[in-house]
Amino acid sequence: MLPKNELREHIFSILREHDHRLTPQREAVVEVLIENSDAHLSAENIFMQTKHNYPDIGLATVYRTLELLESLGLVHKFEYGDGQSRYEVNQSADDHYHHHLICVKCGGIGEFKDDLLDEIEHAIAKETGFRVTDHCLRFFGICSECQAEPGENSDDD
């Protein structure tokens, strides 16, 4: 993973390489994404945090910026089954950088860093000739904090 200052420069250089202007609004959105790189923010969360640094920004501008960053592979967009997309900055050249653990009780989102699907991807390629370039894996369950709550029975499985 790149340090924050290198990640910022990487994102800005990709935007310039693709002839996209580096507007103050885009810079503000990128800053929020980088400063919250360990979070899974919705567009509304990003908008509210961006407004602190750039009060004149509109929600539509945030959405357009996120779409642009996603189209360039700089941001990943995820659906967690709650009807709200979440975004995170792509911090690695390796597309398979982590999987998501979603608590069905509190809505919390955690991460599992090991990629255990390499063997499956190789088998798919060998059997079908299909080259997997990316995958997204989500696990739904109950987080350790919710399991520790009084009255939570973990034997219901």
Side-chain angles (χ1 to χ4, degrees), residues 3-5 7-8 11 27-41 49 53 89 91:
K4 289 181 180 182
N5 60 334
L7 182 57
R8 183 179 297 105
I11 292 170
E27 283 188 53
V29 170
V30 167
E31 289 300 325
V32 167
L33 287 165
I34 290 172
E35 290 306 315
N36 294 279
S37 59
D38 58 341
H40 303 88
L41 301 174
Q49 290 188 35
N53 299 328
V89 67
Q91 300 181 56

Side-chain angles (χ1 to χ4, degrees), residues 58-121:
L59 183 58
T61 300
V62 171
Y63 273 109
R64 282 192 305 271
T65 300
L66 290 169
E67 287 174 13
L68 171 63
L69 295 172
E70 183 187 9
S71 74
L72 296 172
L74 300 169
V75 167
H76 291 285
K77 177 181 176 181
F78 296 99
E79 305 292 335
Y80 294 109
D82 63 356
Q84 191 173 44
S85 299
R86 301 275 184 357
Y87 300 85
E88 61 187 10
V89 67
N90 182 2
Q91 300 181 56
S92 172
D94 179 10
D95 285 334
H96 308 302
Y97 60 103
H98 64 263
H99 302 295
H100 294 97
L101 313 172
I102 301 135
C103 181
V104 296
K105 189 168 183 183
C106 71
I109 302 168
E111 296 178 351
F112 181 74
K113 301 270 185 209
D114 289 334
D115 189 355
L116 304 174
L117 299 180
D118 286 336
E119 192 173 314
I120 294 172
E121 289 182 8

Side-chain angles (χ1 to χ4, degrees), residues 44-64:
E44 290 77 15
N45 296 138
I46 295 167
F47 169 67
M48 294 307 293
Q49 290 188 35
T50 304
K51 266 188 105 49
H52 289 292
N53 299 328
Y54 199 86
D56 294 334
I57 196 163
L59 183 58
T61 300
V62 171
Y63 273 109
R64 282 192 305 271

